[in-house]
Amino acid sequence: MLNFRLIFKGFAYFFLAFTFSLIIASCRNKADQYGVFPDVVVEIDSTYYAMNPMDLRFDSMEQAMIDSSLSEKIDAYRAIRAYPLPNSTPPAIQFNPLPLGFKVPAPTPKQNWEIPEGITRPVWESDLAFMSIPELASLIHSGEISCLALTEFFLNRLRKYDPQLHCVITLTEEYAVEQAKKLDAELASGKDRGILHGIPYGAKDLFSFPGYPTTWGAGPYKDQVLDETAGIIRELEEAGAVLVAKTTLGALAMDDVWFADTTRNPWNLKEGSSGSSAGSASATAAGLLPFAIGTETWGSIVSPSTRCGTTGLRPTYGRVTRAGAMALSWSMDKVGPICRSASDCAIVFDVLRGPDPSDQTLIEAGFTYPGEVDLSALRIGYFKSAFDQDYGVARFDRQTLRDLKRLGADLIPVELDNDQIPTEALAIILEAEAAAAFDELTRSDRDTLLVMQRRYSWPNLFRTARYIPAVEYIQANRIRHDLIEDYNRRLKDFDVVVVPSFQGGDQLLATNLTGHPVVVVPNGFKNSGSPTSISFLGNLFDEGTILAVAAAYQEATGFNKKRPELFSRD
């Protein structure tokens, strides 16, 4: 017997799909006319996606029952959307990066960092701009320079060079000057906060700070002021560091294009700085800041550090508080320092790490920076199949391996890729969480205020993420469990694994999903003048070892001590 209701519904679906395909074609023609989607290639009839966006098959009876239930689901969606959810509200489900049986290192107190003696203020101002954190600390503690004078020095450099680099969104000058005066008074009275006492720094403008805009680099939020001090700013203030600037980030933590401009690479002003921790890397590389704070979800410390020649540490997931930081992906966001050396990264990281009652995802664990290490005494692996590939900067990376061998390292081949795990597909975890974090932006249509409007820009990624089924999001996280176990099995017998920063399958995505720490350092310069980089990957919570190995490499090669010429003149 014919089911006329289903037949009618089938014709209705066909008509809708046909109409939708005409609309798509019209929009695509218009988009092509204006160059909105130059990278879009249609490979399959779009009506298939209109009718079946989740690629599932149900027979007519099953579909009829589904249809009868969908109205209830839509009512639930509307109720959820009506509930106000600020970006700061996390999901109740929390990500745990620990493999089965993994033992977290016991908590340790903050280290007592040695401040060298006998450091004198250099004659040339440009030399002062590129001094290390311990050297600057020595100048302050010996009275060679005051906290206020050093703060004003870096504020002046930021004002002078930002028109070329576009690396600053807001100078926190009023706060910085008052804080520096306070720190000078403390030193005069005998109160010493340690090695960061009086050291200026910048923070990526996704960290909230009262009295100043927190723009997230995006047009819809450029006037946003949040009455909260981000956890990392609070920790650094307690340690004596002085916030002088809120640095640029690509809008909503993607790339280097923000609402007013594109942040530039100080080694080559024709290039963007990459991102999304764009201004933090650019300003630090140019000697406009002694150090800055960045974040990484999928390459946002590694990528700008590579482009700008800085040293960046992406810590273990759960190491550093994210309280007061813009959420992009609750299960992948990480906070870390961007400096000009691995040893400076160790100093800053030691301050940043630790518990914060405002961030329930934190895992308290010890940290020990060993300083000098004997590479011959460590088990150091290298991602062999990645280094064996032919890619643009392969010669720099292979030279790094030779340098490490010269320093005594016995390099052991290791493979990180597992063809049985669809790592690339797990990117839907990030996309779904990001779409949830900016759900209201999408539904209000204010996503049109973002500068970038391409296929792989946030506005379109947020929209397409609405079609990621909840079941697939959960399944992806179950696969992520297996990825964590797989990486732990491959890494646990090594102290460090050397990896090309961007070569070798899905290593960068995989380690952001598993939460493993990495430090990225410069290892050469291309003909364009732009730096190249190498990465040192470590086990969970073992930032100390990878930083020490990176520091040994830097001491032997000196790439991190080179300065971009345009910003090294007096």
Side-chain angles (χ1 to χ4, degrees):
M1 182 175 179
L2 293 176
N3 187 327
F4 287 101
R5 180 173 177 270
L6 289 178
I7 292 173
F8 175 78
K9 186 174 289 188
F11 277 116
Y13 282 163
F14 175 79
F15 176 75
L16 286 172
F18 179 72
T19 304
F20 183 77
S21 66
L22 292 178
I23 294 171
I24 288 290
S26 173
C27 292
R28 190 174 305 287
N29 290 336
K30 188 68 68 175
D32 289 342
Q33 178 182 349
Y34 292 104
V36 177
F37 297 118
D39 53 350
V40 173
V41 177
V42 179
E43 297 177 350
I44 303 177
D45 185 355
S46 60
T47 57
Y48 174 82
Y49 296 116
M51 292 297 297
N52 194 8
M54 295 168 193
D55 194 28
L56 294 171
R57 298 285 193 276
F58 299 108
D59 64 31
S60 58
M61 186 61 69
E62 291 168 334
Q63 187 62 53
M65 287 190 287
I66 290 171
D67 291 348
S68 67
S69 302
L70 284 180
S71 62
E72 299 172 6
K73 298 293 186 292
I74 290 174
D75 287 343
Y77 304 157
R78 288 171 178 164
I80 290 169
R81 292 167 188 164
Y83 187 89
L85 282 171
N87 180 270
S88 58
T89 301
I93 301 171
Q94 293 181 4
F95 170 63
N96 183 351
L98 304 183
L100 295 173
F102 185 89
K103 293 183 178 180
V104 177
T108 56
K110 305 291 186 181
Q111 294 193 206
N112 185 21
W113 297 93
E114 182 180 353
I115 298 174
E117 297 180 354
I119 305 295
T120 57
R121 180 169 178 169
V123 175
W124 302 106
E125 296 286 85
S126 59
D127 291 335
L128 177 63
F130 288 91
M131 293 184 87
S132 68
I133 289 175
E135 289 170 337
L136 292 173
S138 178
L139 295 182
I140 288 174
H141 284 78
S142 66
E144 288 273 327
I145 193 169
S146 68
C147 300
L148 178 60
L150 190 64
T151 293
E152 290 179 332
F153 170 78
F154 281 106
L155 282 168
N156 288 334
R157 280 186 66 83
L158 288 162
R159 273 191 291 266
K160 178 179 180 180
Y161 290 115
D162 183 60
Q164 293 172 268
L165 293 175
H166 310 294
C167 59
V168 175
I169 293 181
T170 305
L171 291 176
T172 56
E173 182 170 5
E174 183 178 353
Y175 161 81
V177 168
E178 288 305 311
Q179 188 69 5
K181 291 178 179 178
K182 173 185 174 182
L183 291 165
D184 278 330
E186 288 183 355
L187 276 183
S189 68
K191 182 177 180 179
D192 182 359
R193 294 176 183 255
I195 195 167
L196 290 185
H197 192 119
I199 305 296
Y201 77 98
K204 187 175 182 177
D205 194 30
L206 53 67
F207 294 103
S208 59
F209 190 59
Y212 294 92
T214 300
T215 70
W216 301 344
Y221 305 100
K222 63 185 178 68
D223 298 317
Q224 173 179 250
V225 178
L226 302 174
D227 189 24
E228 178 185 6
T229 300
I232 60 102
I233 295 178
R234 190 173 60 247
E235 294 290 341
L236 287 164
E237 184 179 274
E238 182 64 26
V242 181
L243 177 67
V244 295
K246 302 194 78 181
T247 56
T248 59
L249 65 153
L252 305 184
M254 178 185 281
D255 212 357
D256 49 24
V257 179
W258 51 292
F259 62 83
D261 221 306
T262 300
T263 304
R264 297 294 170 181
N265 174 10
W267 298 91
N268 181 357
L269 295 179
K270 294 179 181 179
E271 291 183 341
S273 62
S274 189
S276 67
S277 302
S280 292
S282 178
T284 302
L288 313 189
L289 294 167
F291 72 92
I293 305 302
T295 65
E296 173 152 326
T297 309
W298 183 2
S300 287
I301 288 176
V302 171
S303 187
S305 291
T306 296
R307 181 69 60 85
C308 298
T310 52
T311 300
L313 171 65
R314 182 192 79 207
T316 303
Y317 177 88
R319 267 293 210 174
V320 178
T321 178
R322 301 177 302 183
M326 182 200 87
L328 181 65
S329 169
W330 291 278
S331 74
M332 293 178 67
D333 294 342
K334 295 161 284 287
V335 179
I338 295 178
C339 305
R340 288 189 293 271
S341 70
S343 54
D344 277 4
C345 278
I347 292 169
V348 178
F349 171 68
D350 192 34
V351 170
L352 297 178
R353 71 181 179 92
D356 181 350
S358 300
D359 186 349
Q360 293 180 315
T361 66
L362 291 178
I363 301 171
E364 191 171 1
F367 169 69
T368 301
Y369 179 66
E372 294 185 8
V373 290
D374 179 2
L375 298 193
S376 66
L378 300 176
R379 282 184 58 81
I380 301 179
Y382 73 105
F383 190 177
K384 184 178 185 305
S385 62
F387 282 99
D388 287 345
Q389 294 174 22
D390 186 17
Y391 54 100
V393 295
R395 63 188 178 95
F396 299 104
D397 292 352
R398 291 170 189 153
Q399 180 59 47
T400 296
L401 297 183
R402 289 191 287 270
D403 290 336
L404 291 170
K405 289 179 180 178
R406 177 171 54 84
L407 293 173
D410 179 18
L411 298 179
I412 306 165
V414 61
E415 293 306 321
L416 298 179
D417 281 345
N418 184 339
D419 294 338
Q420 302 303 308
I421 297 179
T423 303
E424 185 177 356
L426 303 188
I428 69 167
I429 295 171
L430 165 57
E431 293 169 13
E433 293 182 12
F438 292 99
D439 172 47
E440 191 276 334
L441 179 71
T442 301
R443 290 187 293 106
S444 68
D445 205 33
R446 290 188 304 125
D447 56 357
T448 57
L449 298 176
L450 294 174
V451 175
M452 297 300 291
Q453 296 286 338
R454 294 178 177 270
R455 182 182 183 183
Y456 293 111
S457 300
W458 280 135
N460 193 54
L461 289 175
F462 292 159
R463 295 175 201 130
T464 56
R466 306 306 296 241
Y467 294 92
I468 298 172
V471 171
E472 263 64 34
Y473 172 77
I474 298 296
Q475 300 297 64
N477 272 291
R478 295 175 70 193
I479 297 171
R480 186 179 186 180
H481 169 274
D482 289 353
L483 181 69
I484 289 169
E485 295 297 331
D486 184 69
Y487 256 76
N488 181 60
R489 178 178 59 81
R490 294 169 188 268
L491 293 176
K492 66 181 181 179
D493 293 328
F494 294 93
D495 296 299
V496 178
V497 173
V498 189
V499 296
S501 295
F502 295 99
Q503 196 67 24
D506 300 308
Q507 172 272 134
L508 186 59
L509 173 58
T511 54
N512 270 291
L513 285 162
T514 61
H516 282 86
V518 73
V519 59
V520 57
V521 303
N523 70 338
F525 292 86
K526 296 183 284 190
N527 292 336
S528 66
S530 295
T532 59
S533 78
I534 196 73
S535 292
F536 297 92
L537 180 64
N539 284 291
L540 296 175
F541 304 101
D542 194 11
E543 290 85 359
T545 301
I546 58 174
L547 285 166
V549 171
Y553 171 76
Q554 290 185 322
E555 184 64 28
T557 58
F559 292 116
N560 64 302
K561 295 179 181 177
K562 296 185 181 298
R563 309 173 184 176
E565 184 178 351
L566 289 175
F567 305 94
S568 303
R569 302 167 182 168
D570 285 303

